Amino acid sequence: MSHDTEPTADAITDAITDEITAFLTDALRRPIGPDDDYFELGLVDSLFALELVTYVEQRFALTVEVEDLDLDSFRTAHRLTEFVRRKTGADAAQRTHAGDH
């Protein structure tokens, strides 16, 4: 039996989504689900969008570049999780572990 303690891609994704959802729920003072489009729901404005970018940069130690500022990447916790995984290289690292070429 293997005692591999490295988290799976799904576990990493779930943890990131949970953190982002918790941040949004706290910041917006109402429950936010992973697929809730808080922009479409009218819960956020441009100032909050900047706060969200700052949170993501600080929490996940990444830099959001001008070319990254596509609203679609920031609309839901799930989309934001995908963005974080792309920027941090988590997806590339997972593919490398899955099978070296």
Side-chain angles (χ1 to χ4, degrees):
M1 180 183 286
S2 174
H3 285 79
D4 188 9
T5 58
E6 193 167 317
T8 65
D10 288 344
I12 293 168
T13 298
D14 290 348
I16 293 170
T17 302
D18 289 348
E19 278 195 51
I20 292 170
T21 303
F23 169 79
L24 291 165
T25 294
D26 186 50
L28 300 175
R29 298 187 177 122
R30 64 170 280 173
I32 299 295
D35 293 311
D36 290 347
D37 185 337
Y38 29 86
F39 286 94
E40 187 176 287
L41 293 170
L43 300 175
V44 300
D45 56 18
S46 57
L47 181 59
F48 182 78
L50 290 174
E51 290 178 38
L52 187 55
V53 168
T54 301
Y55 162 75
V56 168
E57 286 184 322
Q58 291 175 350
R59 172 57 193 90
F60 299 102
L62 57 86
T63 300
V64 177
E65 306 290 345
V66 172
E67 59 268 18
D68 296 328
L69 293 176
D70 178 3
L71 184 59
D72 284 341
S73 295
F74 292 83
R75 284 189 174 279
T76 70
H78 271 145
R79 288 183 182 185
L80 200 44
T81 298
E82 292 169 13
F83 173 78
V84 167
R85 288 184 56 89
R86 278 194 313 271
K87 288 296 284 187
T88 59
D91 287 336
Q94 194 63 36
R95 283 192 299 273
T96 301
H97 279 341
D100 294 330
H101 294 110

